[in-house]
Amino acid sequence: MRISIIGSGYVGLIIGACLAKLGNKVILIDLDEKKIDAINSGVSTLYEEGLDELLSRTHVEASSDYQKIMNSKIVFLCVGTHSDKDNSISLEYLIQATEQVSRVLRDKKDYYVVTIKSTVAPGTTEGRIIPILQRWGRKVGKDFGVCMSPEFLREGKAVYDFMHPDRVVIGEYDSKSGDVLYSLFQNFNAPILRTNLRTAEMVKLASNAFLANKVSFINEIGNICKRLGIDTHEVAKGMGFDNRIGGKYLEAGIGFGGSCLPKDLKMLIAKAKQIGYEPKILEEVSNLNEKQALKPVELLKKYVSIKNATIGILGLAFKPGTDDVRGSRAIEIVEVLLGEGATIKAYDPLAMENFRKLYPYIKYVSKEEVLNCDAILIITEWEEFNGLDYTGKIVIDGRRIIKAEEARIYERVC
Ligand code: NAD
């Protein structure tokens, strides 16, 4: 099938490469010429397990020319949706991209389906996207179809996740629209849920809110366990054996970051408030997560005077397996440490270049050099941190790196 993907970031590039591997003819559209050149040379602009290999073996064309979407049967919209100041979602990029799609496809003769992959609040596809797509006299349901198919891939495992989804959700304007998307996904070994557009939008937000809830829940339990001298990890293990609970997303620590969970949770809170509902649980999940980020700094102050100290940071990516630092807990921690007069030396196996774009003036060093600092904070649970010698050091562990327990002073956040 001929497929266009608008936005070649984490989601667009990965689904583009995967759909090309499955035999589809894919064109990626982006505004960032550097990204386009890299993709056309078969180079990945981001780190994802298996992505380089995929790009070297499959042909995916990238371009900034929207005219190239003209022959597509499906146009996926995968541009970023970021939080606005009031925590509602900014649709700026999505609207711009939709306007371009609408303009280019106004003369397209054959039927096509525009599919939203970007995460949006319930009602957005119907209320904001379809009117733009109809602007040039084209009629949804007749000239073209519309779907909303949320993406659930996890960064770090995104290629695997796209190829082996737990489920595919197809929100459809009508069954004709959904049939086209169904034909693309029918051979995936996963349940396919066909629903209306706003339900699909809500499935994504509710799923991420639930995962966020699990993390904040175990952190709350962890904060209580720490005061009681109980190992939260053991408690989580005991809970996780219960199939009704499940062991995933029960790692206590400094909470969730990244470009999705915090934003999607805030998007749902903002939407609920906008329609007059006070989502108290969701608000507490978010508040607790914000407080949890700075726990390592609180603990650090028990052992080191931060002003003029050199603090080592192990881990800058928002989670292991990625070079993505968007929403990383390291950002909040570095901000506070710099504000209190510390010098920072940091190491991450993949994310130093991306972090350097945000903080060019902190020192990026080897992991061994981080160990020579006055104290060390572990922010990301990279497996390689289990291979370091922490003897004699002061370590505050925001995750759970077992080897670090050998430090002279060792404290885990919870
Ligand atoms: P991203 O910022 O990595 O990529 C977005 C891309 O869109 C960028 O390359 C940008 O240059 C491009 N772009 C912006 N405006 C454009 C336009 N008018 N025309 C063409 N290209 C344009 O974002 P992402 O992480 O891939 O996320 C995309 C969407 O998918 C978001 O709504 C996000 O919430 C959702 N999502 C992300 C993930 C994830 O793990 N990153 C998972 C599921 C869903």
Side-chain angles (χ1 to χ4, degrees), residues 55 125 290 344 402:
L55 285 175
T125 305
E290 274 167 29
I344 295 178
I402 299 296

Side-chain angles (χ1 to χ4, degrees), residues 236-247:
K237 209 167 155 187
M239 291 166 63
F241 284 129
D242 186 329
N243 284 333
R244 294 169 303 174
I245 297 174

